Amino acid sequence: TWFMRNGAFLRLKTVELGYTLPRHLTDRLHIEKARFYLSGINLLNFSQFKMWDVEMGGNGLGYPVQRVENIGLQVSF
């Protein structure tokens, strides 16, 4: 048990925030629909184990979990 570590963690896995423009603004711009959005994957990780990512398993030699951030605009004419 000498080499055992606490592997407890809390991770914010997926988040998406979006905003659709109101109809009175889109009518003025001559578009049907407009939506702005932000999304992210693996944004936060809370853990006391700091040597490598806890989800990588026992040896930490694998490729780390990726953090992805997106920003976008959807427009329908």
Side-chain angles (χ1 to χ4, degrees), residues 27-77:
D27 287 343
R28 201 177 330 169
L29 298 171
H30 303 291
I31 57 178
E32 184 178 329
K33 184 177 179 181
R35 179 178 181 261
F36 298 97
Y37 67 90
L38 301 168
S39 67
I41 301 172
N42 296 325
L43 297 177
L44 296 171
N45 185 20
F46 301 100
S47 175
Q48 293 180 355
F49 187 77
K50 301 298 181 190
M51 295 176 74
W52 56 78
D53 194 329
V54 178
E55 283 187 326
M56 291 175 59
N59 60 9
L61 297 176
Y63 199 68
V65 177
Q66 295 294 305
R67 178 179 178 177
V68 180
E69 300 167 349
N70 297 310
I71 184 170
L73 170 66
Q74 293 175 327
V75 179
S76 300
F77 293 98

